[in-house]
Amino acid sequence: MARKPHLPTFSDDPLTFAEEARAAALRAEGVTATAIQDIPHPFWLVSALLWQQAVRFDPQSPLWPDRDRFFVSSTRLLPLRNAFLNLVSTSAPSNAATELFGLAGALPGQAIAAACGMTLAEKILAGRFGRSLVDHRTWLLALPGDLETGVALEAAALADRFHLDRLTIIVASATSAPEEKADLSLAVDRIEASGWSIRRLDGDDAIAIAQVLAATPRARKPRLILCETSGKTLPSPPEATNATPITGSSDAGRRSSVQRSWLRRLIRHPLRAEFERTLERRAPARLEDDFLRHAGEPPPPKHDDDGPDITLLRSGVKARERLADLLPEFVSLSAEHAPKGAGLSSGEVDIFVCGPREPAMVGFMNGLALHGSILPCGTANLSSADRMRPALRFAALSRERLLFVLIEDDPEASACPPWQQVEQLASLRAMPNLALFRPADSQEVAAAWLAALSWRHGPAVIVLARHPRQGSSTSHQDTLPASADIAVSSVRKTEQGGYVLREAKGGSSFRAVTLIASGPEVSLALQAQHRLESEGILAAVVSLPCWELFEKQSSAYRKAVLGQCPRVAIEAASGFGWERWLGDTGIFIGSEEFGVASGFDPLYQSSGLTPDVVCTRVRALLGVERKQEARARMETQKRGGDPRLRPSPIVKSNQRPVAGR
């Protein structure tokens, strides 16, 4: 088999190297000439110079941990990236599960946020292990359209805030259209206003580009290099007699020696075991025991202005802080300027505060996860899930481990925005590879965190209620077990995704109905169960905090939990998707309309999700009538009917009476 011609290529001048890469791209399977022409031609020269003198890598081991990260932002640039990788590497990575050189599958602008996240990961790891083990840069080839997106501007502002000076983004443009030039110039000006170092170059000037790349390591700001030209093809290579090779440290032996030196430093490093553990994504020993021991501790005294309703959110945030103490690779980000309440202050745990920039924050998290040795966790409001969706979907597509804490809005707050949750839970559950946890109490919060850490198929989202639903204040017999009663067996039950929280009196064979709920609505289901039992209707309460885990259980287990009797699902959100657990005879009680601002019909202002409503719907489902209601109706009929249905004295005889008037 013929050897790849990657080694002699480094001694060529950059224009010849670029032409060879372009020819290799044309020879690649499935690549058309149109696809090559669609790539702005300055990228070929820039990439040749990058690989010759700037990018730090080892041809024998292209995925060694301290290599420079080099990737592209669009599928349009994939032929270019693959051509250079095949020329410079003996074993160019092709597996999407381990390949870290490209984020081309994301929407425009997302790669810029991910590049910032990769640079942030390098900075965090360098702070932990030192520059002797972590000392590399991030290079991104982006299209002009990437700069014109809102997520790119948000990411640029955060890159300046976090001082990501080891990031370089190179944008090439070969257009002559005045509108496109004006849009690109405006986008670059906005990036520059965010605190970046901007260099504008002629895309055909190899010497100028080489000088800027050589000076890049000395930059103290994130850098954007704009290469513009109106030409359609690569400039002709100079004559051999006049060629001045720009090789830098391009010798393959020297590149391999860089990795060998790094390996020698790793062997002698005092944190070698910890570095290798995080690199292999192994959990520390006794992590679960230490976490549960903390979860079983009594909660701290509450402030005077904190009621018991805030306990669920507080326990969830405290669990996050405990994980940050136990997992050094755990990195927290928040979509708030100054987190308030429930232990959300940034003084208790190191948090990268992103402000209301959820799309960029999740893009950062994608880069942190793809870099390796980092487990990112983001905190935001549930109502912002729609803004996070593009980056969140890419995380699910790439099956990267990301943790999220999404906080529900307070439905009783006077300043509650009209963008209340309706379809957010259903849309998140519909996303492949994503696991959504909606715990109901401190036990389920602890179990949700452990299950989220074990979820390796993609992102894990923990939804925490800020305040219980109206009418959910319960007496002692209706409350869920206290956090002090946490046991490993209870956690294991919750980690199955769904379980019988309280069985009907006499056992499962005596069930008349099964009440299924998640989150704070579990407390509401317990109240309804208590009232139904007083009327002789035996009901079981099933908590279903995670559909994805419950679906992975055996069919026999799911049938034992859900039972054979009619099922009633309770959730203050859309019922889309609940039909898979309800069967043909079940019903859903929830919110199928937007709870918009006042001034609209009262029907849209309140979902009416109360224990009385649940009991009424259950009785209607079972065809059971309360004795008190039957007796009241008989007395009403004896008195001549309900006076509210009689015609008003001012109503004409030919008018039909209206109920309630």
Side-chain angles (χ1 to χ4, degrees):
M1 183 176 179
R3 185 183 179 93
K4 293 182 179 180
H6 67 282
L7 291 179
T9 306
F10 289 117
S11 61
D12 295 334
D13 65 89
L15 293 179
T16 303
F17 187 16
E19 283 288 3
E20 185 171 348
R22 193 169 185 271
L26 283 170
R27 294 192 300 267
E29 183 179 357
V31 178
T32 64
T34 303
I36 300 301
Q37 294 173 0
D38 200 32
I39 299 174
H41 80 265
F43 271 137
W44 298 100
L45 178 58
V46 169
S47 298
L49 289 166
L50 278 171
W51 286 109
Q52 282 186 327
Q53 72 173 44
V55 175
R56 178 186 182 188
F57 77 105
D58 180 4
Q60 307 295 328
S61 180
L63 291 180
W64 69 292
D66 202 29
R67 72 197 179 279
D68 278 5
R69 269 52 174 184
F70 171 81
F71 56 102
V72 298
S73 68
S74 171
T75 54
R76 289 174 52 189
L77 304 179
L78 284 177
L80 175 142
R81 184 207 64 178
N82 294 336
F84 278 99
L85 285 179
N86 289 327
L87 287 174
V88 302
S89 301
T90 58
S91 57
S94 59
N95 190 338
T98 59
E99 190 264 316
L100 295 178
F101 288 93
L103 288 176
L107 294 176
Q110 289 294 331
I112 292 180
C116 295
M118 284 192 175
T119 313
L120 179 60
E122 190 272 346
K123 184 173 184 176
I124 294 172
L125 293 174
R128 284 183 59 194
F129 301 106
R131 289 295 178 190
S132 61
L133 291 186
V134 184
D135 187 14
H136 55 266
R137 306 186 65 86
T138 301
W139 305 87
L140 170 66
L141 303 185
L143 293 172
D146 290 299
L147 299 183
E148 298 169 13
T149 60
V151 63
L153 189 59
E154 292 181 355
L158 293 179
D160 177 67
R161 171 180 295 182
F162 302 145
H163 307 291
L164 305 182
D165 55 359
R166 288 177 170 252
L167 170 63
T168 302
I169 297 177
I170 303 175
V171 178
S173 174
T175 182
S176 57
E179 297 83 1
E180 297 181 15
K181 283 181 170 292
D183 290 343
L184 178 58
S185 178
L186 178 60
V188 172
D189 290 343
R190 290 172 174 173
I191 300 294
E192 186 174 16
S194 299
W196 284 48
S197 171
I198 305 295
R199 294 302 303 269
R200 294 175 171 85
L201 303 173
D202 182 357
D204 297 330
D205 190 343
I207 301 299
I209 296 174
Q211 291 174 348
V212 171
L213 293 179
T216 295
R218 299 191 296 271
R220 294 295 176 260
K221 296 180 180 180
R223 171 162 286 198
L224 173 65
I225 301 175
L226 176 60
C227 300
E228 291 185 285
T229 180
S230 58
K232 299 299 182 183
T233 60
L234 282 172
S236 301
E239 296 293 335
T241 56
N242 299 326
T244 304
I246 304 175
T247 59
S249 57
S250 60
D251 178 71
R254 291 185 61 187
R255 292 180 183 271
S256 298
S257 67
V258 174
Q259 190 209 11
R260 290 194 296 269
S261 299
W262 179 86
L263 287 174
R264 288 193 293 268
R265 294 194 300 271
L266 175 63
I267 292 174
R268 299 190 301 266
H269 202 281
L271 298 178
R272 173 188 175 184
E274 177 66 11
F275 183 83
E276 292 177 342
R277 182 194 66 78
T278 58
L279 191 65
E280 298 169 4
R281 302 185 179 186
R282 290 185 282 109
R286 299 182 298 277
L287 172 65
E288 182 176 314
D289 295 338
D290 293 340
F291 177 75
L292 290 178
R293 188 182 307 113
H294 169 80
E297 296 176 357
K302 299 181 178 64
H303 300 288
D304 294 339
D305 57 347
D306 289 345
D309 299 334
I310 204 70
T311 304
L312 182 62
L313 177 57
R314 184 184 299 277
S315 62
V317 175
K318 290 296 182 183
R320 182 197 65 182
E321 295 174 355
R322 179 58 176 168
L323 282 177
D325 293 336
L326 298 174
L327 279 173
E329 63 267 31
F330 192 93
V331 174
S332 299
L333 300 91
S334 175
E336 297 185 4
H337 277 304
K340 302 175 183 177
L344 287 174
S345 61
S346 57
E348 299 182 11
V349 62
D350 292 333
I351 298 178
F352 290 93
V353 179
C354 301
R357 301 182 181 93
E358 293 89 348
M361 183 187 76
V362 184
F364 266 66
M365 294 172 64
N366 282 328
L368 288 166
L370 285 168
H371 181 281
S373 301
I374 295 290
L375 178 59
C377 177
T379 302
N381 289 326
L382 178 60
S383 57
S384 63
D386 301 297
R387 283 169 38 82
M388 298 161 48
R389 192 173 310 282
L392 187 60
R393 189 177 186 274
F394 178 78
L397 177 68
S398 59
R399 294 178 177 267
E400 287 298 328
R401 288 182 67 200
L402 275 68
L403 302 180
F404 292 90
V405 177
L406 299 185
I407 303 173
E408 298 181 7
D409 290 327
D410 183 356
E412 297 179 5
S414 58
C416 183
W419 201 260
Q420 298 177 13
Q421 71 175 58
V422 177
E423 79 286 1
Q424 282 88 352
L425 294 178
S427 63
L428 290 173
R429 287 169 175 151
M431 190 174 294
N433 304 329
L434 183 145
L436 185 141
F437 300 86
R438 195 166 183 254
D441 69 336
S442 299
Q443 282 192 30
E444 292 190 1
V445 166
W449 277 108
L450 291 178
L453 289 175
S454 302
W455 182 260
R456 300 301 179 97
H457 307 287
V461 178
I462 301 176
V463 179
L464 298 176
R466 189 185 298 272
H467 193 284
R469 301 300 169 205
Q470 186 175 3
S472 63
S473 57
T474 61
S475 57
H476 179 71
Q477 67 267 22
D478 295 329
T479 57
L480 277 66
S483 59
D485 299 330
I486 289 180
V488 175
S489 59
S490 300
V491 172
R492 286 286 171 265
K493 233 190 303 186
T494 306
E495 286 181 345
Q496 292 174 319
Y499 64 102
V500 180
L501 177 63
R502 185 173 292 174
E503 187 57 87
K505 289 184 178 180
S508 59
S509 59
F510 290 89
R511 284 191 200 179
V513 65
T514 301
L515 305 179
I516 312 171
S518 70
E521 286 78 61
V522 171
S523 178
L524 188 149
L526 290 172
Q527 295 178 73
Q529 181 201 37
H530 181 70
R531 299 187 186 187
L532 290 172
E533 286 182 352
S534 66
E535 301 172 11
I537 301 176
L538 300 183
V541 175
V542 170
S543 178
L544 202 64
C546 182
W547 293 13
E548 290 74 22
L549 293 181
F550 189 66
E551 195 169 19
K552 291 182 178 295
Q553 308 305 314
S554 65
S555 175
Y557 176 81
R558 295 198 302 266
K559 289 181 179 178
V561 170
L562 299 177
Q564 301 299 321
C565 56
R567 305 164 187 172
V568 177
I570 309 168
E571 190 170 72
S574 171
F576 185 83
W578 274 99
E579 59 274 3
R580 76 175 73 174
W581 313 122
L582 294 178
D584 297 332
T585 60
I587 62 173
F588 174 80
I589 306 174
S591 304
E592 297 289 353
E593 296 288 349
F594 293 104
V596 294
S598 60
F600 289 82
D601 190 279
L603 174 65
Y604 298 98
Q605 296 184 25
S606 174
S607 63
L609 200 61
T610 63
D612 290 337
V613 170
V614 174
C615 293
T616 301
R617 295 289 299 276
V618 169
R619 287 192 295 269
L621 175 65
L622 301 179
V624 177
E625 187 177 28
R626 296 177 63 182
K627 294 180 180 179
Q628 295 87 341
E629 294 177 352
R631 188 180 303 112
R633 190 175 67 255
M634 292 177 61
E635 293 294 333
T636 300
Q637 291 176 350
K638 290 179 181 179
R639 294 195 301 267
D642 192 342
R644 293 176 300 175
L645 300 180
R646 299 174 187 172
S648 173
I650 62 174
V651 177
K652 297 181 180 180
S653 59
N654 61 347
Q655 286 183 333
R656 184 177 180 180
V658 180
R661 293 186 178 179

